[in-house]
Amino acid sequence: DQPRSRGLGDVYKRQGKYCQSKGVKLAYHHHVDDFLLGGAEIDEILARSAPSLFSVWLCTDSATEANVDLLDYFVSRHERISGIHLKDVRDHRQVIFGRGELDGAALAAKLRKAAWRGWLLIEEERGRYRKEWPGTPAVQESRQHMKKVFGI
């Protein structure tokens, strides 16, 4: 029996080579399950795949929900992180970015110190599930907070 991550590493390596042949780089979006055991499974996949073929998109709320120290996780793996999904939560519920538990200023400081050049994306999903809740005001407030904290 080989660990699940070993098989996935081989799959992502093949997919990464295919994407590279098409001029794009494969990136995997983390979810809560990927942070089990402190992220050991995704670390095994990263170890089995070349940086030129495979990277990850770090999802802030998934790390928070899994009780993973987001800042430590970023610092130790920033070279393999191509994007960060900024999704803020409070009491296990999504809130407007800047109103939750995510310490955006601390994350911004780590990004700058690492001279990280990846993508930052605000994720606002609540409007998808409740039509009466318009997403635009939340996106605008989230964008203002991003400009304030990250300077972009």
Side-chain angles (χ1 to χ4, degrees), residues 9-50:
D10 294 340
V11 168
Y12 290 134
K13 186 186 295 182
R14 283 194 309 275
Q15 290 176 339
K17 287 180 180 178
Y18 173 79
C19 289
Q20 186 179 53
S21 77
K22 302 298 180 188
V24 295
K25 183 176 178 180
L26 177 64
Y28 178 79
H29 180 286
H30 278 95
H31 290 96
V32 175
D33 291 350
D34 296 312
F35 289 106
L36 297 176
L37 304 174
E41 184 171 85
I42 200 72
D43 287 344
E44 176 70 19
I45 293 168
L46 288 171
R48 294 183 163 283
S49 60

Side-chain angles (χ1 to χ4, degrees), residues 101-116:
E101 300 164 3
L102 177 63
D103 186 345
L107 179 58
K110 298 292 184 186
L111 298 178
R112 286 185 194 97
K113 184 174 181 181
W116 186 74

Side-chain angles (χ1 to χ4, degrees), residues 6 8 18-19 39 49 57 59-60 62 67 75 88-89 92 96-97 105 127 130 132 135 139 141:
R6 179 173 293 162
L8 287 175
Y18 173 79
C19 289
S49 60
W57 269 76
C59 190
T60 59
S62 293
N67 295 315
V75 167
D88 219 345
V89 294
H92 305 286
I96 293 172
F97 179 60
R130 297 187 317 225
E132 74 278 4
V139 171
E141 183 178 330

Side-chain angles (χ1 to χ4, degrees), residues 56-130:
V56 294
W57 269 76
L58 176 60
C59 190
T60 59
D61 76 312
S62 293
T64 300
E65 290 296 315
N67 295 315
V68 168
D69 185 312
L70 176 67
L71 300 178
D72 286 346
Y73 191 89
F74 172 79
V75 167
S76 64
R77 298 160 180 87
H78 71 274
E79 292 174 347
R80 297 295 299 271
I81 296 171
S82 57
I84 300 176
H85 236 180
L86 300 168
K87 186 174 176 183
D88 219 345
V89 294
R90 178 170 300 288
D91 299 322
H92 305 286
R93 294 179 57 108
Q94 183 179 6
V95 296
I96 293 172
F97 179 60
R99 292 188 185 184
E101 300 164 3
L102 177 63
D103 186 345
L107 179 58
K110 298 292 184 186
L111 298 178
R112 286 185 194 97
K113 184 174 181 181
W116 186 74
R117 307 295 294 169
W119 289 83
L120 290 173
L121 176 72
I122 297 169
E123 181 175 357
E124 176 55 64
E125 293 184 315
R126 293 173 297 163
R128 282 183 14 194
Y129 304 114
R130 297 187 317 225

